[in-house]
Amino acid sequence: MDKLIIQGGAQLNGEIRISGAKNAALPILCAGLLAETPLRLSNVPHLRDVNTTLLLLAHLGMQVSVDESMNVALDASNIHNPVAPYEMVKTMRASILVLGPLLARFGKARVSLPGGCAIGSRPVNLHIKGLQAMGAEIHIEHGYIEAKANRLKGARIFMDMVTVTGTENLMMAATLAEGTTVLENAAREPEVVDLAECLIKMGARIEGAGTDVITIHGVEHLHGCDYAVVSDRIETGTYLVAVAMAGGKVRLKNARADLLEAVIDKLREAGAKVEYDDNSITIESDGKLKAVSLRTAPHPAFPTDMQAQFMALNTVADGVAQVTETIFENRFMHVQELRRLGADIEVDGHTALVKGRPGLDGAIVMATDLRASAGLVLAGLVARGETVVERIYHIDRGYERIEEKLAAVGARIKRVG
Ligand code: EPU
């Protein structure tokens, strides 16, 4: 099993190109199911979760072609098997994103219920309830969501929690429904907006994406188009924290500061200098940081997907930080591992109290989920001596060639098999 070996203490200087966003690419790939002519996507990141999605789509009967630059073409004219099997869904919960499109376009779907997850229980009840409100008949049988519908009907749907993939699933389903659907308390994440923009280019009629009320007027058909996936704000944020902690000056290209305001605010509060233009962000830091407290919440507040990285930052900052996780009930798995590097962290319910220390000491640690792993890599960049991060298949789900991108700006990091 691959691991990363990091010698801490190197400053980071140079440029990193940010990839397309995983969490935008996954729903947009699934949106390919809705189109009657081929959908052509660019800026698709080369990640394990993208490969899993492409395998799932191929399993459904999608014709998938991918060139060496990860331009993806999807042709849904021969979908013959609307089934997302357990073996695929269990490796990636985002597989649930085929449910809405399959049901809307083909009138039936059989999708395995996702099982447990390292960061929380993560139910999909709101996806199911919303589709039922649109007239779908859904029941759970042998661990599978069995769904059918003639044509879905527009409905007013209130979601009592903000759910990103739930909003995406229902928005995709509503594009081909009869009449108008209104999604209330919708997620405002940039990935929802990116999906909406792609759907609009495919012929959908959607208003309000990016606000908490999204209105979708159903149409009879959607067609393919050319679409470039938005850049990854979480990958961007992760490298920003890396430079803040390690010190140095790095320019992130293909990066969108407007999607990362809460994170940039916190980095400045910690003492890093951050400047940006439309398409790049430059960060400069001497590595001496102040502790920053934060509370995760749906966009535009501080993203849960950046919590572990800021936890790592706080372990070596000056002062005490309170880090509160409000989205997932079990997203502190990195705390035990950070403690192995010498971090001083106490957890009380949903809040972690992080007392900054002058330094960390390298050790062997284990990745437990995607963002937790990123936090461990960041800690390794500043820890004294050698840090080994094991089980990095988690990192490969969401970071494209993380060791190459970090090594290119001066980090001493390598992957070993
Ligand atoms: N929830 C319900 N019922 C539902 C759906 C969600 O109770 O039907 C709860 C969840 O249990 C959770 C909260 O609502 O407590 C928010 O979950 P959400 O549905 O928004 O999460 P998600 O859509 O499954 C996406 C990202 C995650 C990211 C979260 C929150 C994708 C593919 N995944 O997950 O990304 O953490 O939104 O922003 O978009 C990651 O990239 O590392 C990652 C985990």
Side-chain angles (χ1 to χ4, degrees):
M1 227 182 275
D2 284 9
K3 43 185 137 176
L4 292 176
I5 299 183
I6 308 166
Q7 307 292 335
Q11 281 216 340
L12 306 181
N13 287 289
E15 287 190 344
I16 297 177
R17 188 179 186 281
I18 300 300
S19 302
K22 167 179 83 83
N23 290 347
L26 302 183
I28 289 174
L29 290 168
C30 296
L33 290 166
L34 295 164
E36 292 182 10
T37 53
L39 176 64
R40 287 172 301 273
L41 303 172
S42 56
N43 207 32
V44 176
H46 194 192
L47 301 171
R48 231 162 58 106
D49 277 6
V50 166
N51 290 344
T52 307
T53 305
L54 293 174
L55 283 174
L56 172 59
L57 293 174
H59 176 87
L60 302 173
M62 180 89 91
Q63 272 174 26
V64 176
S65 71
V66 183
D67 72 12
E68 63 287 351
S69 316
M70 282 302 287
N71 295 306
V72 176
L74 300 173
D75 181 346
S77 52
N78 192 24
I79 301 297
H80 49 74
N81 178 32
V83 180
Y86 176 67
E87 289 66 36
M88 288 179 155
V89 179
K90 78 172 181 202
T91 64
M92 191 189 66
R93 305 178 58 83
S95 309
I96 189 76
L97 285 165
V98 298
L99 177 61
L102 283 176
L103 196 54
R105 172 103 193 272
F106 305 101
K108 60 180 180 187
R110 190 162 181 265
V111 177
S112 170
L113 262 183
C117 171
I119 63 179
S121 66
R122 305 183 74 183
V124 291
N125 56 311
L126 297 171
H127 302 232
I128 293 175
K129 223 174 116 190
L131 292 170
Q132 284 170 330
M134 284 191 243
E137 240 179 78
I138 301 184
H139 56 275
I140 311 290
E141 219 174 83
H142 304 299
Y144 276 78
I145 303 168
E146 308 272 357
K148 56 180 191 218
N150 287 325
R151 186 172 177 200
L152 293 171
K153 294 197 173 38
R156 177 171 283 270
I157 298 166
F158 175 78
M159 288 165 282
D160 61 7
M161 283 182 87
V162 177
T163 160
V164 176
T165 49
T167 301
E168 292 164 347
N169 232 339
L170 299 180
M171 183 166 74
M172 288 191 279
T175 56
L176 289 179
E178 187 187 332
T180 298
T181 299
V182 180
L183 302 178
E184 292 180 351
N185 200 27
R188 292 182 281 170
E189 268 63 7
E191 293 76 20
V192 173
V193 177
D194 204 43
L195 170 64
E197 282 174 6
C198 179
L199 290 168
I200 290 168
K201 232 179 154 189
M202 291 163 63
R205 293 178 55 213
I206 301 173
E207 293 148 18
T211 75
D212 60 1
V213 181
I214 304 180
T215 304
I216 306 112
H217 306 286
V219 296
E220 300 265 341
H221 307 279
L222 293 177
H223 49 77
C225 67
D226 289 304
Y227 194 77
V229 175
V230 71
S231 79
D232 195 315
R233 66 191 165 105
I234 306 299
E235 188 196 20
T236 307
T238 303
Y239 291 129
L240 289 174
V241 177
V243 182
M245 291 173 70
K249 183 174 181 182
V250 171
R251 179 164 169 263
L252 302 180
K253 296 184 296 184
N254 190 35
R256 291 266 304 267
D258 57 319
L259 309 180
L260 262 178
E261 282 175 4
V263 167
I264 290 174
D265 247 31
K266 288 291 168 193
L267 285 166
R268 285 179 170 157
E269 193 184 320
K273 206 170 131 201
V274 184
E275 280 167 3
Y276 49 81
D277 57 30
D278 286 352
N279 198 34
S280 78
I281 308 178
T282 302
I283 179 161
E284 192 172 356
S285 165
D286 59 8
K288 294 189 183 66
L289 301 172
K290 290 193 285 284
V292 282
S293 291
L294 59 96
R295 183 184 176 83
T296 67
H299 193 78
F302 191 91
T304 174
D305 290 344
M306 286 299 301
Q307 181 256 104
Q309 299 88 321
F310 271 77
M311 182 91 84
L313 179 153
N314 279 313
T315 63
V316 291
D318 183 20
V320 180
Q322 242 186 6
V323 174
T324 303
E325 171 61 50
T326 75
I327 306 289
F328 293 112
E329 65 269 25
N330 193 26
R331 213 174 197 182
F332 281 148
M333 303 276 281
H334 38 288
V335 167
Q336 288 291 355
E337 301 299 308
L338 288 170
R339 281 189 188 135
R340 292 181 47 75
L341 301 172
D344 184 347
I345 308 173
E346 274 169 45
V347 175
D348 183 9
H350 292 298
T351 298
L353 202 65
V354 191
K355 294 187 186 139
R357 302 193 38 186
L360 298 172
D361 293 311
I364 300 176
V365 291
M366 198 174 77
T368 49
D369 77 74
L370 169 56
R371 309 303 171 185
S373 328
L376 296 177
V377 171
L378 301 185
L381 292 176
V382 298
R384 283 177 288 261
E386 182 173 287
T387 297
V388 179
V389 183
E390 297 195 330
R391 297 203 183 167
I392 55 161
Y393 55 85
H394 290 292
I395 301 190
D396 295 332
R397 295 185 57 174
Y399 291 90
E400 189 174 280
R401 299 178 288 108
I402 192 169
E403 73 283 7
E404 286 178 32
K405 289 193 183 189
L406 284 170
V409 291
R412 292 187 295 250
I413 179 170
K414 64 177 184 208
R415 177 186 294 254
V416 294

